[in-house]
Amino acid sequence: MPELNSLLGFALIALGMVLTPGPNMVYLISRSSCQGRVAGLISLGGVALGFVFYMVCAAFGITALVLAVPYAYDAIRFAGAIDLSLKFHPAAT
């Protein structure tokens, strides 16, 4: 079992990461302020679903695949960019 000092250090770093606003927080605030509470809650659900996706990928070893095949990371990244562009520009569909 880890020592108490190690657990406290980990807890402090995790707390700092949670409290630090990042791109997800900026996205949620901008959607909520521009399009209302419902859009913000829908975006929050999407962000949470993304976190679940990352967790499942890590559990099944997709991370190892992405590290072994750099083009796989680019494919996922470009697919995400295309998905976001279609969401913000629905007339393009």
Side-chain angles (χ1 to χ4, degrees):
M1 177 152 178
E3 296 179 11
L4 181 62
N5 289 337
S6 298
L7 290 175
L8 288 175
F10 181 82
L12 285 174
I13 290 172
L15 180 65
M17 289 176 67
V18 169
L19 294 178
T20 305
N24 291 335
M25 184 62 71
V26 173
Y27 170 70
L28 293 173
I29 289 172
S30 67
R31 286 275 301 201
S32 298
S33 64
C34 292
Q35 297 175 350
R37 181 182 301 175
V38 173
L41 288 173
I42 291 170
S43 300
L44 176 62
V47 168
L49 187 62
F51 286 148
V52 169
F53 177 74
Y54 292 148
M55 185 174 53
V56 169
C57 287
F60 287 113
I62 302 293
T63 304
L65 173 70
V66 169
L67 290 174
V69 182
Y71 294 114
Y73 173 72
D74 289 335
I76 293 170
R77 189 170 54 118
F78 290 135
I82 291 169
D83 180 52
L84 284 176
S85 69
L86 293 176
K87 286 181 183 175
F88 286 111
H89 301 288
T93 57

